[in-house]
Amino acid sequence: MISDAGTGDDPRDGWFPESVAAGYDAPGGANAPAVVTPAVDVLEDLADGPVLEFAVGTGRIAVPLAARGVAVSGIELSHAMAARIAGKAGGEAVEVTIGDMTTTRVTGRFSLVYLVYNTISNVATQGGQVDVFRNAAAHLRPGGLFLVEVGLPDLRRLPPGQDTVPFTVAPGIGGGGYVGFDQYDVVTQQFTSNHVTVSPDGTGRFRRIPFRYAWPAEMDLMARIAGMSLKYRWADWDRSELTAESTKHVSVWETDRST
């Protein structure tokens, strides 16, 4: 079921319109069982009651989590993305509200709020990211948990004078291909993710998405501002230790149990 929180804007004008949503559930990559299942395992283990997913997207995580008997709600900015949840087997179990995860409130108190797959970085200002933490805390019951999965900025690969790091170069079958690269501004902590796709007939498409990176310590401060403290920090969903070689982190903050 999808309800509208009345944001006043058409979410399809954002970074995840129909043209993106149409291919978002393609097999492999982020949708591969080897990627989805470990995340769902951890979320199920942490859940001790209803859960809320910020930026629920097409239900890549929410639908399989709901299939395990967890009561899942979601907030999603893009109508095009959210519309695909109901079409999935079991998708009707996920209650989705259209809105901005920095401000949109849904009814209920949750044991867990989670935000995965780098989506915190889609909020491209520090103030906006703090608002995400505050909104998560506002939805949590005492002792509730807020989980974020996000990549660590690849700044160690930047030699002096360079601001760009390629992350994918993939030739296409029958010609064409795909190139992806991130471009960093280390002063503002802004970066853009750039995607160049060329079809076999030579037709090209360029897509550029703005992000903001934040180090784990900065997120700990955001959590503290929102009244939460760090409970767990892992390098991945396998709960491995975060090290200097880690490329992402999965962090969990806890609200005060006495409030």
Side-chain angles (χ1 to χ4, degrees):
M1 177 190 297
I2 299 175
S3 61
D4 198 315
T7 62
D9 295 322
D10 183 351
R12 289 167 289 188
D13 291 337
W15 297 109
F16 296 91
E18 178 61 31
S19 60
V20 175
Y24 201 82
D25 289 326
N31 298 303
V35 176
V36 172
T37 300
V40 174
D41 288 343
V42 170
L43 295 169
E44 181 187 22
D45 183 58
L46 294 177
D48 183 24
V51 306
L52 174 64
E53 180 172 356
F54 281 1
V56 68
T58 64
R60 179 180 70 95
I61 300 297
V63 171
L65 183 59
R68 297 190 184 189
V70 179
V72 182
S73 298
I75 294 173
E76 174 54 47
L77 189 63
S78 168
H79 280 92
M81 296 284 279
R84 282 161 170 77
I85 296 177
K88 295 181 176 181
E92 68 281 354
V94 180
E95 294 281 343
V96 181
T97 297
I98 299 296
D100 187 327
M101 64 183 173
T102 65
T103 57
T104 298
R105 292 293 303 275
V106 301
T107 302
R109 301 292 294 276
F110 298 87
S111 69
L112 170 68
V113 176
Y114 64 94
L115 176 58
V116 299
Y117 203 51
N118 303 321
T119 314
I120 183 69
S121 297
N122 283 112
V123 181
T125 67
Q126 184 185 66
Q129 290 175 348
V130 170
D131 287 341
V132 171
F133 276 77
R134 283 175 165 157
N135 198 27
H139 282 93
L140 290 169
R141 69 191 190 191
L145 304 176
F146 179 41
L147 179 147
V148 171
E149 176 199 18
V150 64
L152 291 164
D154 215 359
L155 302 185
R156 293 174 66 189
R157 295 177 59 191
L158 290 177
Q162 180 175 313
D163 65 358
T164 301
V165 176
F167 56 82
T168 302
V169 178
I173 298 174
Y178 167 76
V179 175
F181 58 94
D182 288 332
Q183 189 171 23
Y184 291 92
D185 183 334
V186 297
V187 175
T188 64
Q189 293 181 218
Q190 302 290 316
F191 72 101
T192 57
S193 184
N194 302 276
H195 308 267
V196 181
T197 305
V198 180
S199 63
D201 65 4
T203 303
R205 182 187 178 205
F206 177 56
R207 186 165 180 257
R208 197 165 194 249
I209 308 173
F211 293 93
R212 180 185 187 272
Y213 67 83
W215 298 102
E218 185 181 0
M219 290 192 177
D220 288 344
L221 184 56
M222 293 179 186
R224 184 175 179 180
I225 291 170
M228 299 183 286
S229 58
L230 184 67
K231 186 176 180 68
Y232 306 115
R233 173 160 288 139
W234 306 304
D236 209 336
W237 295 104
D238 60 3
R239 307 188 199 217
S240 55
E241 181 183 1
L242 186 73
T243 72
E245 304 305 315
S246 300
T247 59
K248 73 175 185 180
H249 65 102
V250 177
S251 296
V252 183
W253 298 271
E254 185 178 31
T255 60
D256 189 338
R257 291 181 174 272
S258 65
T259 56

